[in-house]
Amino acid sequence: MTTLVRTSEGTRIVDVTGEIDLSSSSALRRLLFETLQGAERLAINLAGAKYIDSSGIATLIEVQKEAQRAQKEMVLFALSTPARDVFALTHVTKVFRILETEAEALKP
Amino acid sequence: MNVSRSNEPRPLDVVPSFELRIVMASDPRFLSVVRHAIAALAEVLGSSEAESRATVLAIDEALTNVIRHAYHGEDNRPIKLACTARGLRLDLRITDQGEAPDMTRICAHDPAAPEPGGRGTHVIRDVMDVVSYERTREGNRLTLRKEFSRHA
C-alpha cells in the first residue's frame, strides 16, 4: 500500500493505492488520524485500492467516528471496483458518504 | 492477466483438479501471497471476477481471524492451508494451534452498524457455501467450501 497526502481547495486528500489488509491497515490508520488532526475536511481517494479487507473497513470507520467527534467531515471518493464490492459485502455502503469524483469530494 | 478460454466443449471425463498446501507463519505480510494464489486458481477454474474477489476476501478474513484472535497477533505461529479444487468446487481447510474461536462472537455483531469490528465472520458465512469450525488433535480447523457458478 502506498499513500499520498495533498491539499486541494482546503480539503486534505489522501490517495490510497494498492492493497489494504492486516499488514497495512494500522499504518493507514496512523496516517489518516494524523492527517485529520490538521484538516477540517478529509477526502480519501480509493480509486487505486486494489484490495481492502475488513481491517481496512474498520480503520475507515474509526477515522470517521473521530471526524464526527471533532465535528469535521470525512468523505470517500472514486471507489475502485474491488473496493466497491467489499463495501457491499461488508454492508458498509451506507455507513460512509461515498462520492464518485474528486470534484464532488471537494464540495462541502 | 486474462486467460483466453477455448469455446470447444471439454470432454466429460476431464475434470480439472488442483491441490495446494501452504504452511505459513502467522505474519500478515504473507496474506497477500495466499490471496494472489487463490485468485489465480479461481480464474483458472472459471469463476467470475466478482465471485473470485468475494472468495479471496472470505479466505483472507479467515486467515486474518487466525492471526488476530487465535494467535493474538503473534507473527511466528504456524497456519496450515490445504486447498483442493475439483471442477467448480473449492475445498479449504485452515488449521492453527492457537486459542479456540469463541463461538459466541462469530457473526455476533450487526455488520451494518457503524462500528469498527465484527465483519470478517459475516463475510465468510455470506460468501462460502460451507463453513465449519471444529477442534481437532491438530488444533483448530476451519473447513470452507465454495461452489463457483459456471461463468460464460
Side-chain angles (χ1 to χ4, degrees):
Chain A
M1 181 196 73
T2 57
T3 52
L4 174 69
V5 181
R6 56 196 169 91
T7 303
S8 181
E9 299 179 26
T11 297
R12 295 288 270 173
I13 299 170
V14 180
D15 301 312
V16 185
T17 305
E19 299 187 322
I20 308 164
D21 68 2
L22 190 62
S23 70
S24 56
S25 57
S26 57
L28 180 63
R29 182 181 185 279
R30 276 195 301 276
L31 174 79
L32 293 177
F33 269 83
E34 283 171 13
T35 307
L36 182 66
Q37 274 193 333
E40 285 305 307
R41 294 189 80 248
L42 175 63
I44 302 169
N45 176 8
L46 294 175
K50 292 180 180 168
Y51 181 79
I52 180 166
D53 72 349
S54 68
S55 76
I57 297 289
T59 292
L60 295 176
I61 291 176
E62 284 182 76
V63 177
Q64 173 161 275
K65 285 171 90 81
E66 175 60 18
Q68 287 168 343
R69 192 200 61 75
Q71 297 187 309
K72 297 179 177 183
E73 189 178 13
M74 177 188 126
V75 299
L76 311 178
F77 70 94
L79 268 62
S80 64
T81 301
R84 202 171 284 278
D85 282 359
V86 173
F87 275 61
L89 273 169
T90 53
H91 306 280
V92 294
T93 303
K94 290 181 180 171
V95 169
F96 299 101
R97 186 165 175 231
I98 300 173
L99 302 165
E100 292 297 320
T101 65
E102 181 168 326
E104 288 175 60
L106 294 177
K107 291 179 192 165
Chain B
M1 183 182 74
N2 289 321
V3 176
S4 61
R5 298 180 180 89
S6 166
N7 289 328
E8 290 180 12
R10 184 183 292 277
L12 290 175
D13 60 340
V14 178
V15 178
S17 64
F18 187 87
E19 190 166 315
L20 176 70
R21 287 178 189 271
I22 293 174
V23 181
M24 59 182 269
S26 53
D27 185 328
R29 293 177 301 170
F30 294 130
L31 292 172
S32 172
V33 177
V34 177
R35 288 198 301 269
H36 287 273
I38 299 293
L41 181 56
E43 184 181 352
V44 171
L45 296 182
S47 80
S48 68
E49 278 188 35
E51 210 173 23
S52 168
R53 278 199 295 269
T55 304
V56 167
L57 176 67
I59 295 166
D60 190 53
E61 295 291 346
L63 293 169
T64 292
N65 283 345
V66 170
I67 297 170
R68 291 185 63 196
H69 302 303
Y71 289 142
H72 302 285
E74 286 182 78
D75 63 4
N76 59 352
R77 304 291 303 278
I79 303 175
K80 289 183 184 174
L81 172 68
C83 172
T84 306
R86 182 166 291 275
L88 292 167
R89 176 188 291 181
L90 191 62
D91 283 297
L92 300 109
R93 280 200 321 271
I94 298 171
T95 310
D96 68 77
Q97 294 167 0
E99 187 177 316
D102 179 351
M103 302 307 287
T104 64
R105 293 183 62 188
I106 292 174
C107 295
H109 304 286
D110 175 6
E115 297 300 327
R119 289 183 177 76
T121 52
H122 281 283
V123 169
I124 297 166
R125 187 194 61 184
D126 291 349
V127 171
M128 305 306 281
D129 298 304
V130 172
V131 180
S132 168
Y133 295 88
E134 59 188 315
R135 184 79 182 169
T136 71
R137 284 199 306 184
E138 244 192 310
N140 305 308
R141 180 188 290 164
L142 171 61
T143 302
L144 303 171
R145 172 175 292 171
K146 179 68 181 174
E147 298 269 4
F148 290 115
S149 311
R150 192 167 293 281
H151 178 58

PDB file of all heavy atoms in Angstrom, chain A residues 89, chain B residues 50-59 121-131 145-148:
ATOM      1  N   LEU A  89     -20.197  -6.144   0.308  1.00  0.00           N
ATOM      2  CA  LEU A  89     -20.155  -7.422   1.043  1.00  0.00           C
ATOM      3  C   LEU A  89     -20.129  -7.219   2.553  1.00  0.00           C
ATOM      4  O   LEU A  89     -20.640  -8.051   3.304  1.00  0.00           O
ATOM      5  CB  LEU A  89     -18.900  -8.205   0.635  1.00  0.00           C
ATOM      6  CG  LEU A  89     -19.002  -9.095  -0.583  1.00  0.00           C
ATOM      7  CD1 LEU A  89     -17.610  -9.572  -0.995  1.00  0.00           C
ATOM      8  CD2 LEU A  89     -19.902 -10.294  -0.305  1.00  0.00           C
TER       9      LEU A  89
ATOM     10  N   ALA B  50     -16.048 -11.118  -9.871  1.00  0.00           N
ATOM     11  CA  ALA B  50     -16.703 -10.730  -8.607  1.00  0.00           C
ATOM     12  C   ALA B  50     -16.732 -11.903  -7.633  1.00  0.00           C
ATOM     13  O   ALA B  50     -16.473 -11.732  -6.437  1.00  0.00           O
ATOM     14  CB  ALA B  50     -18.117 -10.236  -8.894  1.00  0.00           C
ATOM     15  N   GLU B  51     -17.020 -13.100  -8.144  1.00  0.00           N
ATOM     16  CA  GLU B  51     -17.071 -14.282  -7.280  1.00  0.00           C
ATOM     17  C   GLU B  51     -15.673 -14.616  -6.754  1.00  0.00           C
ATOM     18  O   GLU B  51     -15.508 -15.005  -5.598  1.00  0.00           O
ATOM     19  CB  GLU B  51     -17.628 -15.451  -8.080  1.00  0.00           C
ATOM     20  CG  GLU B  51     -18.375 -16.459  -7.271  1.00  0.00           C
ATOM     21  CD  GLU B  51     -19.065 -17.510  -8.134  1.00  0.00           C
ATOM     22  OE1 GLU B  51     -18.652 -17.738  -9.297  1.00  0.00           O
ATOM     23  OE2 GLU B  51     -19.999 -18.114  -7.635  1.00  0.00           O
ATOM     24  N   SER B  52     -14.694 -14.455  -7.606  1.00  0.00           N
ATOM     25  CA  SER B  52     -13.315 -14.697  -7.198  1.00  0.00           C
ATOM     26  C   SER B  52     -12.901 -13.718  -6.094  1.00  0.00           C
ATOM     27  O   SER B  52     -12.341 -14.116  -5.067  1.00  0.00           O
ATOM     28  CB  SER B  52     -12.385 -14.543  -8.414  1.00  0.00           C
ATOM     29  OG  SER B  52     -11.045 -14.495  -8.005  1.00  0.00           O
ATOM     30  N   ARG B  53     -13.211 -12.447  -6.300  1.00  0.00           N
ATOM     31  CA  ARG B  53     -12.841 -11.432  -5.298  1.00  0.00           C
ATOM     32  C   ARG B  53     -13.504 -11.715  -3.958  1.00  0.00           C
ATOM     33  O   ARG B  53     -12.897 -11.590  -2.898  1.00  0.00           O
ATOM     34  CB  ARG B  53     -13.226 -10.031  -5.791  1.00  0.00           C
ATOM     35  CG  ARG B  53     -12.226  -9.407  -6.747  1.00  0.00           C
ATOM     36  CD  ARG B  53     -12.405  -7.904  -6.817  1.00  0.00           C
ATOM     37  NE  ARG B  53     -13.678  -7.542  -7.391  1.00  0.00           N
ATOM     38  CZ  ARG B  53     -13.899  -7.331  -8.681  1.00  0.00           C
ATOM     39  NH1 ARG B  53     -12.912  -7.438  -9.536  1.00  0.00           N
ATOM     40  NH2 ARG B  53     -15.088  -6.991  -9.120  1.00  0.00           N
ATOM     41  N   ALA B  54     -14.793 -12.101  -4.006  1.00  0.00           N
ATOM     42  CA  ALA B  54     -15.513 -12.381  -2.756  1.00  0.00           C
ATOM     43  C   ALA B  54     -14.900 -13.584  -2.038  1.00  0.00           C
ATOM     44  O   ALA B  54     -14.743 -13.584  -0.814  1.00  0.00           O
ATOM     45  CB  ALA B  54     -16.986 -12.625  -3.063  1.00  0.00           C
ATOM     46  N   THR B  55     -14.544 -14.609  -2.810  1.00  0.00           N
ATOM     47  CA  THR B  55     -13.968 -15.820  -2.206  1.00  0.00           C
ATOM     48  C   THR B  55     -12.596 -15.520  -1.606  1.00  0.00           C
ATOM     49  O   THR B  55     -12.277 -15.972  -0.496  1.00  0.00           O
ATOM     50  CB  THR B  55     -13.868 -16.928  -3.270  1.00  0.00           C
ATOM     51  OG1 THR B  55     -15.165 -17.136  -3.832  1.00  0.00           O
ATOM     52  CG2 THR B  55     -13.354 -18.226  -2.685  1.00  0.00           C
ATOM     53  N   VAL B  56     -11.808 -14.758  -2.336  1.00  0.00           N
ATOM     54  CA  VAL B  56     -10.489 -14.364  -1.823  1.00  0.00           C
ATOM     55  C   VAL B  56     -10.651 -13.576  -0.523  1.00  0.00           C
ATOM     56  O   VAL B  56      -9.930 -13.810   0.454  1.00  0.00           O
ATOM     57  CB  VAL B  56      -9.726 -13.532  -2.884  1.00  0.00           C
ATOM     58  CG1 VAL B  56      -8.517 -12.844  -2.266  1.00  0.00           C
ATOM     59  CG2 VAL B  56      -9.305 -14.417  -4.047  1.00  0.00           C
ATOM     60  N   LEU B  57     -11.616 -12.675  -0.488  1.00  0.00           N
ATOM     61  CA  LEU B  57     -11.853 -11.887   0.727  1.00  0.00           C
ATOM     62  C   LEU B  57     -12.224 -12.800   1.896  1.00  0.00           C
ATOM     63  O   LEU B  57     -11.698 -12.660   3.007  1.00  0.00           O
ATOM     64  CB  LEU B  57     -12.958 -10.857   0.486  1.00  0.00           C
ATOM     65  CG  LEU B  57     -13.374 -10.026   1.708  1.00  0.00           C
ATOM     66  CD1 LEU B  57     -12.235  -9.102   2.158  1.00  0.00           C
ATOM     67  CD2 LEU B  57     -14.622  -9.187   1.399  1.00  0.00           C
ATOM     68  N   ALA B  58     -13.127 -13.758   1.640  1.00  0.00           N
ATOM     69  CA  ALA B  58     -13.577 -14.655   2.721  1.00  0.00           C
ATOM     70  C   ALA B  58     -12.403 -15.466   3.287  1.00  0.00           C
ATOM     71  O   ALA B  58     -12.266 -15.613   4.509  1.00  0.00           O
ATOM     72  CB  ALA B  58     -14.673 -15.585   2.207  1.00  0.00           C
ATOM     73  N   ILE B  59     -11.552 -15.978   2.401  1.00  0.00           N
ATOM     74  CA  ILE B  59     -10.404 -16.781   2.855  1.00  0.00           C
ATOM     75  C   ILE B  59      -9.413 -15.890   3.607  1.00  0.00           C
ATOM     76  O   ILE B  59      -8.856 -16.266   4.643  1.00  0.00           O
ATOM     77  CB  ILE B  59      -9.755 -17.498   1.654  1.00  0.00           C
ATOM     78  CG1 ILE B  59     -10.752 -18.508   1.063  1.00  0.00           C
ATOM     79  CG2 ILE B  59      -8.449 -18.192   2.056  1.00  0.00           C
ATOM     80  CD1 ILE B  59     -10.375 -19.028  -0.306  1.00  0.00           C
ATOM     81  N   THR B 121     -16.382 -12.536  10.053  1.00  0.00           N
ATOM     82  CA  THR B 121     -17.120 -13.801  10.086  1.00  0.00           C
ATOM     83  C   THR B 121     -18.412 -13.714   9.278  1.00  0.00           C
ATOM     84  O   THR B 121     -18.875 -14.713   8.730  1.00  0.00           O
ATOM     85  CB  THR B 121     -17.415 -14.242  11.536  1.00  0.00           C
ATOM     86  OG1 THR B 121     -18.034 -13.160  12.245  1.00  0.00           O
ATOM     87  CG2 THR B 121     -16.147 -14.658  12.249  1.00  0.00           C
ATOM     88  N   HIS B 122     -18.989 -12.518   9.193  1.00  0.00           N
ATOM     89  CA  HIS B 122     -20.171 -12.351   8.332  1.00  0.00           C
ATOM     90  C   HIS B 122     -19.797 -12.576   6.864  1.00  0.00           C
ATOM     91  O   HIS B 122     -20.536 -13.214   6.120  1.00  0.00           O
ATOM     92  CB  HIS B 122     -20.750 -10.946   8.493  1.00  0.00           C
ATOM     93  CG  HIS B 122     -21.575 -10.767   9.729  1.00  0.00           C
ATOM     94  ND1 HIS B 122     -22.852 -11.234   9.846  1.00  0.00           N
ATOM     95  CD2 HIS B 122     -21.274 -10.182  10.910  1.00  0.00           C
ATOM     96  CE1 HIS B 122     -23.328 -10.938  11.047  1.00  0.00           C
ATOM     97  NE2 HIS B 122     -22.385 -10.310  11.722  1.00  0.00           N
ATOM     98  N   VAL B 123     -18.664 -12.014   6.466  1.00  0.00           N
ATOM     99  CA  VAL B 123     -18.214 -12.188   5.077  1.00  0.00           C
ATOM    100  C   VAL B 123     -18.014 -13.670   4.779  1.00  0.00           C
ATOM    101  O   VAL B 123     -18.468 -14.182   3.746  1.00  0.00           O
ATOM    102  CB  VAL B 123     -16.903 -11.411   4.820  1.00  0.00           C
ATOM    103  CG1 VAL B 123     -16.291 -11.802   3.485  1.00  0.00           C
ATOM    104  CG2 VAL B 123     -17.146  -9.911   4.872  1.00  0.00           C
ATOM    105  N   ILE B 124     -17.347 -14.371   5.685  1.00  0.00           N
ATOM    106  CA  ILE B 124     -17.078 -15.802   5.471  1.00  0.00           C
ATOM    107  C   ILE B 124     -18.399 -16.551   5.318  1.00  0.00           C
ATOM    108  O   ILE B 124     -18.592 -17.328   4.381  1.00  0.00           O
ATOM    109  CB  ILE B 124     -16.261 -16.376   6.655  1.00  0.00           C
ATOM    110  CG1 ILE B 124     -14.894 -15.696   6.735  1.00  0.00           C
ATOM    111  CG2 ILE B 124     -16.103 -17.889   6.510  1.00  0.00           C
ATOM    112  CD1 ILE B 124     -14.155 -15.950   8.057  1.00  0.00           C
ATOM    113  N   ARG B 125     -19.337 -16.302   6.199  1.00  0.00           N
ATOM    114  CA  ARG B 125     -20.622 -17.014   6.160  1.00  0.00           C
ATOM    115  C   ARG B 125     -21.414 -16.656   4.896  1.00  0.00           C
ATOM    116  O   ARG B 125     -22.043 -17.510   4.281  1.00  0.00           O
ATOM    117  CB  ARG B 125     -21.449 -16.649   7.397  1.00  0.00           C
ATOM    118  CG  ARG B 125     -22.727 -17.459   7.531  1.00  0.00           C
ATOM    119  CD  ARG B 125     -23.659 -16.843   8.542  1.00  0.00           C
ATOM    120  NE  ARG B 125     -24.043 -15.482   8.124  1.00  0.00           N
ATOM    121  CZ  ARG B 125     -24.785 -14.668   8.857  1.00  0.00           C
ATOM    122  NH1 ARG B 125     -25.190 -15.039  10.040  1.00  0.00           N
ATOM    123  NH2 ARG B 125     -25.114 -13.467   8.421  1.00  0.00           N
ATOM    124  N   ASP B 126     -21.378 -15.372   4.510  1.00  0.00           N
ATOM    125  CA  ASP B 126     -22.173 -14.934   3.352  1.00  0.00           C
ATOM    126  C   ASP B 126     -21.613 -15.447   2.029  1.00  0.00           C
ATOM    127  O   ASP B 126     -22.361 -15.692   1.086  1.00  0.00           O
ATOM    128  CB  ASP B 126     -22.244 -13.401   3.300  1.00  0.00           C
ATOM    129  CG  ASP B 126     -23.071 -12.816   4.445  1.00  0.00           C
ATOM    130  OD1 ASP B 126     -23.752 -13.602   5.140  1.00  0.00           O
ATOM    131  OD2 ASP B 126     -23.012 -11.592   4.646  1.00  0.00           O
ATOM    132  N   VAL B 127     -20.295 -15.567   1.944  1.00  0.00           N
ATOM    133  CA  VAL B 127     -19.656 -15.896   0.659  1.00  0.00           C
ATOM    134  C   VAL B 127     -19.513 -17.401   0.456  1.00  0.00           C
ATOM    135  O   VAL B 127     -19.748 -17.911  -0.640  1.00  0.00           O
ATOM    136  CB  VAL B 127     -18.264 -15.218   0.569  1.00  0.00           C
ATOM    137  CG1 VAL B 127     -17.489 -15.727  -0.648  1.00  0.00           C
ATOM    138  CG2 VAL B 127     -18.410 -13.707   0.532  1.00  0.00           C
ATOM    139  N   MET B 128     -19.139 -18.116   1.507  1.00  0.00           N
ATOM    140  CA  MET B 128     -18.824 -19.535   1.340  1.00  0.00           C
ATOM    141  C   MET B 128     -20.089 -20.388   1.473  1.00  0.00           C
ATOM    142  O   MET B 128     -21.033 -20.032   2.165  1.00  0.00           O
ATOM    143  CB  MET B 128     -17.771 -19.979   2.366  1.00  0.00           C
ATOM    144  CG  MET B 128     -16.493 -19.146   2.353  1.00  0.00           C
ATOM    145  SD  MET B 128     -15.675 -19.014   0.739  1.00  0.00           S
ATOM    146  CE  MET B 128     -14.828 -20.590   0.659  1.00  0.00           C
ATOM    147  N   ASP B 129     -20.081 -21.536   0.811  1.00  0.00           N
ATOM    148  CA  ASP B 129     -21.249 -22.426   0.844  1.00  0.00           C
ATOM    149  C   ASP B 129     -21.227 -23.331   2.075  1.00  0.00           C
ATOM    150  O   ASP B 129     -22.275 -23.752   2.545  1.00  0.00           O
ATOM    151  CB  ASP B 129     -21.281 -23.276  -0.425  1.00  0.00           C
ATOM    152  CG  ASP B 129     -21.424 -22.401  -1.657  1.00  0.00           C
ATOM    153  OD1 ASP B 129     -22.391 -21.620  -1.706  1.00  0.00           O
ATOM    154  OD2 ASP B 129     -20.570 -22.468  -2.554  1.00  0.00           O
ATOM    155  N   VAL B 130     -20.052 -23.662   2.562  1.00  0.00           N
ATOM    156  CA  VAL B 130     -19.915 -24.474   3.772  1.00  0.00           C
ATOM    157  C   VAL B 130     -18.908 -23.786   4.688  1.00  0.00           C
ATOM    158  O   VAL B 130     -17.834 -23.370   4.225  1.00  0.00           O
ATOM    159  CB  VAL B 130     -19.421 -25.905   3.445  1.00  0.00           C
ATOM    160  CG1 VAL B 130     -19.099 -26.675   4.725  1.00  0.00           C
ATOM    161  CG2 VAL B 130     -20.463 -26.665   2.626  1.00  0.00           C
ATOM    162  N   VAL B 131     -19.269 -23.628   5.948  1.00  0.00           N
ATOM    163  CA  VAL B 131     -18.369 -23.053   6.956  1.00  0.00           C
ATOM    164  C   VAL B 131     -18.501 -23.915   8.211  1.00  0.00           C
ATOM    165  O   VAL B 131     -19.591 -24.042   8.759  1.00  0.00           O
ATOM    166  CB  VAL B 131     -18.744 -21.592   7.298  1.00  0.00           C
ATOM    167  CG1 VAL B 131     -17.782 -21.028   8.342  1.00  0.00           C
ATOM    168  CG2 VAL B 131     -18.756 -20.713   6.059  1.00  0.00           C
ATOM    169  N   ARG B 145     -16.039 -24.351   1.959  1.00  0.00           N
ATOM    170  CA  ARG B 145     -16.265 -24.826   0.588  1.00  0.00           C
ATOM    171  C   ARG B 145     -16.924 -23.718  -0.221  1.00  0.00           C
ATOM    172  O   ARG B 145     -17.794 -23.003   0.284  1.00  0.00           O
ATOM    173  CB  ARG B 145     -17.160 -26.060   0.569  1.00  0.00           C
ATOM    174  CG  ARG B 145     -17.577 -26.486  -0.849  1.00  0.00           C
ATOM    175  CD  ARG B 145     -18.355 -27.766  -0.847  1.00  0.00           C
ATOM    176  NE  ARG B 145     -17.487 -28.875  -0.462  1.00  0.00           N
ATOM    177  CZ  ARG B 145     -17.945 -30.100  -0.202  1.00  0.00           C
ATOM    178  NH1 ARG B 145     -19.239 -30.350  -0.285  1.00  0.00           N
ATOM    179  NH2 ARG B 145     -17.113 -31.063   0.128  1.00  0.00           N
ATOM    180  N   LYS B 146     -16.483 -23.601  -1.456  1.00  0.00           N
ATOM    181  CA  LYS B 146     -17.117 -22.670  -2.383  1.00  0.00           C
ATOM    182  C   LYS B 146     -17.405 -23.402  -3.681  1.00  0.00           C
ATOM    183  O   LYS B 146     -16.525 -24.017  -4.281  1.00  0.00           O
ATOM    184  CB  LYS B 146     -16.183 -21.468  -2.653  1.00  0.00           C
ATOM    185  CG  LYS B 146     -16.745 -20.462  -3.626  1.00  0.00           C
ATOM    186  CD  LYS B 146     -17.936 -19.736  -3.046  1.00  0.00           C
ATOM    187  CE  LYS B 146     -18.535 -18.731  -4.032  1.00  0.00           C
ATOM    188  NZ  LYS B 146     -19.779 -18.133  -3.493  1.00  0.00           N
ATOM    189  N   GLU B 147     -18.658 -23.339  -4.108  1.00  0.00           N
ATOM    190  CA  GLU B 147     -19.046 -23.870  -5.414  1.00  0.00           C
ATOM    191  C   GLU B 147     -19.189 -22.666  -6.342  1.00  0.00           C
ATOM    192  O   GLU B 147     -20.123 -21.890  -6.196  1.00  0.00           O
ATOM    193  CB  GLU B 147     -20.386 -24.612  -5.322  1.00  0.00           C
ATOM    194  CG  GLU B 147     -20.383 -25.817  -4.416  1.00  0.00           C
ATOM    195  CD  GLU B 147     -20.042 -27.096  -5.159  1.00  0.00           C
ATOM    196  OE1 GLU B 147     -19.736 -27.015  -6.372  1.00  0.00           O
ATOM    197  OE2 GLU B 147     -20.076 -28.163  -4.519  1.00  0.00           O
ATOM    198  N   PHE B 148     -18.245 -22.533  -7.278  1.00  0.00           N
ATOM    199  CA  PHE B 148     -18.320 -21.400  -8.192  1.00  0.00           C
ATOM    200  C   PHE B 148     -19.434 -21.622  -9.215  1.00  0.00           C
ATOM    201  O   PHE B 148     -19.701 -22.758  -9.628  1.00  0.00           O
ATOM    202  CB  PHE B 148     -16.995 -21.210  -8.934  1.00  0.00           C
ATOM    203  CG  PHE B 148     -15.886 -20.724  -8.055  1.00  0.00           C
ATOM    204  CD1 PHE B 148     -14.771 -21.518  -7.815  1.00  0.00           C
ATOM    205  CD2 PHE B 148     -15.955 -19.469  -7.464  1.00  0.00           C
ATOM    206  CE1 PHE B 148     -13.743 -21.073  -7.006  1.00  0.00           C
ATOM    207  CE2 PHE B 148     -14.922 -19.020  -6.647  1.00  0.00           C
ATOM    208  CZ  PHE B 148     -13.816 -19.817  -6.424  1.00  0.00           C
TER     209      PHE B 148
END
